[in-house]
């Protein structure tokens, strides 16, 4: 196992730490500050572990992983990214958990083009766009995250299949608390969503969906808004 551990990297003109075409690498315990591009950047690789790093003030993404099979991003603190806090693209088999992501100018956590992904137990605060953003993803679990003060949606997902959104706490979103559209086989269950600027939970253009056991409070528009869904169950929710 190769390691990139316990380094202090400041004011890089490009990426703070860059890893390409590698296998079984641990990137841990680094302090990466004020990078001119991404704080930590990983491009096509297999079996990458990114844990326990502090990444602050990156001009682009705090952590960016592209074309990776077997990825773990956990226990990192990512602050003040100029684009996304954590951006994961074209991955198979990924865990994104227990990260603290704040003050991202775009999305706090973004997943695009991924399968078999777990996004859980993260705290995402004050994102300039969506707190957690998914696009083109299959077999995804978004569970037990705390997402607060997103300028747009707290959790936003489009073009997803086999996705579960459960046990999340989503508050003070400028748009919807949880917004899922163009989905097949999706569950939105046991979430607490409060003080959304638009709808608490919005689900549209979906096939086979379950909205169950959620608590939704103080939405400026609808508590739960469902549009153009076939095979729908909406049960045991509390809306106030």
């Amino acid at each position: 196992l190769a390691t990139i551990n316990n380094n202090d990297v400041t004011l890089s003109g490009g990426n703070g730490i860059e890893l390409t075409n590698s296998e079984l690498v641990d990137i841990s315990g680094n302090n990466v500050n004020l990078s001119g591009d991404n704080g930590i950047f990983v491009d096509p690789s297999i079996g990458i572990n990114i844990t326990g790093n502090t990444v602050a003030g990156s001009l682009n993404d705090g952590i960016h992983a592209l074309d990776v099979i077997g990825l773990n991003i956990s226990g990192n603190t990512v602050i003040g990214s100029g684009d996304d806090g954590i951006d994961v693209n074209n991955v198979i088999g990924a865990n994104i958990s227990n990260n603290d992501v704040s003050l991202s100018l775009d999305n706090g956590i973004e997943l695009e083009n991924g399968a078999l992904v777990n996004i859980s137990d993260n705290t995402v605060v004050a994102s300039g766009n969506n707190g957690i953003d998914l696009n083109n993803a299959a077999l995804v679990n978004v569970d037990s995250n705390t997402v607060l003060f997103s300028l747009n949606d707290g959790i936003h997902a489009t073009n997803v299949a086999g996705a579960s959104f459960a046990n999340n706490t989503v508050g003070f979103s400028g748009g919807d608390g949880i917004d899922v559209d163009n989905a097949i086989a999706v569950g939105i269950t046991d979430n607490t969503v409060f003080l959304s600027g638009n709808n608490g939970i919005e689900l549209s253009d979906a096939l086979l969906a379950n909205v169950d056991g959620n608590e939704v409070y103080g939405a400026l528009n609808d508590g739960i808004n469902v549009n153009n869904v076939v095979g729908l169950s909406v049960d045991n929710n509390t809306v106030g």
Side-chain angles (χ1 to χ4, degrees), residues 83-87 101 104 106-110 124 127-128 130-132:
D83 196 355
D84 301 320
I86 297 173
D87 185 350
V101 182
S104 307
D106 196 5
N107 301 307
I109 297 173
E110 178 175 302
V124 182
S127 304
N130 302 313
I132 297 175

Side-chain angles (χ1 to χ4, degrees), residues 179-225:
D179 181 3
V180 179
D181 64 88
N182 292 318
I184 299 174
V186 60
I188 304 173
T189 60
D190 299 315
N191 301 282
T192 300
V193 182
F194 58 93
L195 297 176
S196 305
N198 191 30
N199 301 315
I201 295 173
E202 178 169 321
L203 173 65
S204 59
D205 300 318
L207 174 65
L208 302 178
N210 176 38
V211 181
D212 186 19
N214 301 283
E215 297 182 359
V216 182
Y217 302 106
L220 195 61
N221 195 8
D222 299 328
I224 298 175
N225 181 293

Side-chain angles (χ1 to χ4, degrees), residues 84-108:
D84 301 320
I86 297 173
D87 185 350
V88 175
N89 197 331
N90 292 332
V91 298
I92 299 174
N95 176 60
I96 305 168
S97 64
N98 294 293
N99 300 285
D100 290 325
V101 182
S102 60
L103 298 171
S104 307
L105 285 186
D106 196 5
N107 301 307

Side-chain angles (χ1 to χ4, degrees), residues 19-102:
L19 177 73
T20 60
N21 299 306
S22 300
E23 297 181 6
L24 302 179
V25 180
D26 181 65
I27 304 172
S28 298
N30 301 284
N31 293 310
V32 183
N33 299 300
L34 303 173
S35 302
D37 197 352
N38 304 292
I40 297 174
F41 178 80
V42 177
D43 200 13
S45 295
I46 299 172
I48 306 302
N49 186 50
I50 304 172
T51 60
N53 302 282
T54 299
V55 182
S58 305
L59 191 62
N60 196 3
D61 299 327
I63 298 173
H64 186 113
L66 174 66
D67 299 328
V68 179
I69 299 172
L71 174 66
N72 178 49
I73 301 176
S74 63
N76 302 282
T77 299
V78 183
I79 305 171
S81 304
D83 196 355
D84 301 320
I86 297 173
D87 185 350
V88 175
N89 197 331
N90 292 332
V91 298
I92 299 174
N95 176 60
I96 305 168
S97 64
N98 294 293
N99 300 285
D100 290 325
V101 182
S102 60

